[in-house]
Amino acid sequence: MMKQNLWIVAVFFFVNVSAQKFDNLAQTPPMGWNSWNKFNCDVSEVLIMEMADAIVSSGMKDAGYEYVVIDDCWQVGRDKNGEIIVDKDRFPKGMKYLADYIHSKGLKFGIYSCAGIYTCQGRPGGRGHEFQDARTYASWGVDYLKYDWCYATGKDVKTAPSSKEHAIYSYSTMRDALYAAGRPVVFSICDWGFQQPWEWAGDVGHLWRTYHDIKDRWASLLIIFDKQKGLEKYAGPGHWNDPDMLEVGNGGMTIEEYKTHFSLWCMLAAPLMTGNDIREMTPEIKDILTNKEIIALNQDTLGKQGFCYRDNGNYEIWIKKLGNNERAVCLLNRSDEIKNVQVDFKVLLTVNSTYWKLEPYKLEDYKVRDLWEHKELSMKESTIYVEIPPHSVKVFRYNKK
Ligand code: GLA
């Protein structure tokens, strides 16, 4: 017991005294592509290079996507000095070459490791090698690190309690290692929300997962989405809630559902890490992922996460505060039937959340725009009737006149 108390005191001392992450990174939610959702362990140099090419040629880069991240399975062991060994069959030219290639396209390079002794796929993890790995990543030119939570607790941990304190310690160690290595790196915490990272990770990482892994299914989307309610006060520039990467374009949902997925993630100020095969994107999927008006909600520099203003079961109204005293409204139809709803834009303009207050705005000072139709509403009346297809959304933005 005594030993455990000392451990906790040591952890908090460490966290408070040497708290240091790279500032001024991820001032808006990071945007990019990650290999996991589509390719799992089937990653290679050729795949990543082709994806970087496709991000540029498809217009994704112009829409704001920047980080190209290799998830699990690029690593196969450690040498006698403890240096991480890259899979030479899949990455014959090595990570420095790949990073240089990605940088030459005007993109940024991301990699994955784990706070445990193994990664989730059983590859070598970072535990005990944090400073060494961080130096290696810096020498390769890594700009983004996703850090997982497998094999980090339980039987593999002899000395640490499997608790929030242990998570704070593990992630703070890697944060300090990255900082000591000197190359600015966006630090993505992936403990699946198990240790409530929103409560402590603001000084540790730039984003943190809030729940279990997403699956390419409508039901999974809703479960994850519901877990974000109430977390809005923890997000802001440089520190974001991460409901997990996008499944848009992976085939398990309809186009309407993918539109909803993308709109909700934008309303949540969530990181926009795509997870589809950009090389083979259909025009419909590309239109979703590159809808600049919807992306602008996500990338708004005020950095406010949207909140649920009305929850009528199958019908919800979400509001996101934007810069310049503007705001976005998202109407969500979760049901299997078409919904006809009446929307009073005058009322929605004066709604306040529990954590931010707005001036009493006047509807006459705004134009209201439909961000999927790319059209302004005529607004002869403040109330309009809207038809929302099943599993779909309507997204509006109040723009100052
Ligand atoms: C965990 C993470 C996923 C992915 C896999 C890789 O499940 O939550 O996003 O990184 O590990 O093994």
Side-chain angles (χ1 to χ4, degrees):
M1 194 56 196
M2 174 78 171
K3 208 170 162 189
Q4 180 159 332
N5 285 341
L6 279 174
W7 169 263
I8 291 168
V9 168
V11 165
F12 277 109
F13 183 80
F14 192 70
V15 168
N16 289 332
V17 171
S18 62
Q20 187 74 73
K21 72 174 188 186
F22 285 104
D23 287 331
N24 301 317
L25 291 179
Q27 292 299 290
T28 59
M31 295 175 67
W33 177 87
N34 174 299
S35 55
W36 182 254
N37 283 355
K38 172 78 184 177
F39 297 97
N40 292 191
C41 271
D42 196 10
V43 286
S44 71
E45 186 175 283
V46 174
L47 176 84
I48 304 297
M49 286 165 71
E50 287 183 2
M51 215 56 72
D53 293 347
I55 288 170
V56 176
S57 62
S58 63
M60 293 282 283
K61 179 177 176 237
D62 286 343
Y65 297 92
E66 186 180 22
Y67 293 96
V68 181
V69 182
I70 315 174
D71 208 279
D72 210 344
C73 300
W74 57 266
Q75 60 286 72
V76 286
R78 290 197 182 270
D79 70 13
K80 59 179 185 341
N81 299 318
E83 284 293 331
I84 195 80
I85 302 172
V86 176
D87 185 336
K88 283 234 159 42
D89 295 333
R90 288 174 174 266
F91 296 89
K93 298 199 177 79
M95 291 301 176
K96 171 90 172 77
Y97 174 88
L98 194 49
D100 288 348
Y101 184 82
I102 288 169
H103 290 149
S104 78
K105 301 267 153 188
L107 299 168
K108 292 189 170 151
F109 178 52
I111 211 157
Y112 160 102
S113 186
C114 184
I117 53 168
Y118 304 115
T119 71
C120 293
Q121 300 305 310
R123 307 302 175 96
R127 176 178 298 275
H129 294 274
E130 291 89 351
F131 284 81
Q132 182 176 27
D133 285 351
R135 283 192 296 273
T136 305
Y137 300 157
S139 75
W140 288 342
V142 167
D143 307 297
Y144 183 109
L145 174 67
K146 172 174 167 184
Y147 213 50
D148 220 330
W149 192 234
C150 282
Y151 301 101
T153 55
K155 68 177 166 51
D156 300 303
V157 181
K158 304 267 180 347
T159 51
S162 60
S163 62
K164 194 178 282 187
E165 285 72 26
H166 175 49
I168 295 172
Y169 172 77
S170 298
Y171 283 105
S172 302
T173 303
M174 195 63 211
R175 169 203 61 193
D176 293 343
L178 292 170
Y179 197 79
R183 183 180 171 87
V185 170
V186 170
F187 189 32
S188 157
I189 291 173
C190 181
D191 86 327
W192 323 301
F194 279 18
Q195 309 294 349
Q196 297 80 46
W198 47 88
E199 288 176 359
W200 52 264
D203 291 335
V204 182
H206 300 93
L207 58 154
W208 49 81
R209 279 276 296 280
T210 52
Y211 198 60
H212 298 268
D213 288 12
I214 193 167
K215 298 202 174 58
D216 187 17
R217 287 199 303 271
W218 176 245
S220 163
L221 184 78
L222 289 184
I223 291 169
I224 292 182
F225 181 61
D226 287 342
K227 296 285 174 192
Q228 312 311 308
K229 288 177 184 161
L231 295 186
E232 54 269 9
K233 64 171 182 269
Y234 299 103
H239 50 99
W240 308 102
N241 291 308
D242 175 10
D244 206 359
M245 302 173 294
L246 296 162
E247 290 283 10
V248 178
N250 280 335
M253 291 188 237
T254 65
I255 290 293
E256 283 304 323
E257 289 168 344
Y258 282 142
K259 254 171 72 177
T260 302
H261 180 11
F262 195 65
S263 305
L264 297 180
W265 262 230
C266 287
M267 289 296 288
L268 289 171
L272 297 180
M273 300 303 289
T274 52
N276 59 321
D277 191 341
I278 308 285
R279 299 167 305 179
E280 298 177 349
M281 235 178 348
T282 63
E284 290 91 338
I285 294 300
K286 185 173 141 179
D287 284 351
I288 295 174
L289 292 175
T290 59
N291 182 335
K292 291 187 183 169
E293 296 198 69
I294 297 286
I295 292 173
L297 308 182
N298 179 270
Q299 293 292 301
D300 185 82
T301 50
L302 205 58
K304 294 284 184 203
Q305 179 170 323
F307 73 100
C308 184
Y309 156 65
R310 272 274 180 282
D311 183 351
N312 293 346
N314 270 332
Y315 172 58
E316 293 176 17
I317 303 176
W318 283 70
I319 297 183
K320 185 181 196 293
K321 185 180 179 181
L322 306 170
N324 194 29
N325 290 335
E326 298 183 354
R327 59 172 62 190
V329 172
C330 176
L331 314 177
L332 166 64
N333 176 9
R334 302 165 65 121
S335 79
D336 299 337
E337 277 108 47
I338 293 175
K339 265 209 184 305
N340 288 293
V341 294
Q342 196 183 354
V343 189
D344 188 337
F345 283 101
K346 212 165 176 174
V347 169
L348 292 179
L349 189 57
T350 53
V351 167
N352 284 312
S353 91
T354 46
Y355 78 109
W356 47 257
K357 210 163 153 38
L358 293 168
E359 304 305 317
Y361 299 133
K362 292 200 209 81
L363 189 55
E364 305 86 83
D365 297 336
Y366 292 87
K367 290 181 195 162
V368 181
R369 195 169 163 81
D370 182 323
L371 303 188
W372 283 108
E373 297 293 326
H374 302 291
K375 269 203 278 226
E376 243 133 55
L377 306 186
S378 67
M379 297 303 291
K380 288 196 195 84
E381 313 268 330
S382 77
T383 301
I384 63 166
Y385 292 89
V386 181
E387 182 182 288
I388 319 174
H391 298 189
S392 194
V393 286
K394 293 294 272 183
V395 186
F396 300 103
R397 178 182 180 131
Y398 292 82
N399 285 315
K400 269 278 181 64
K401 276 185 187 162

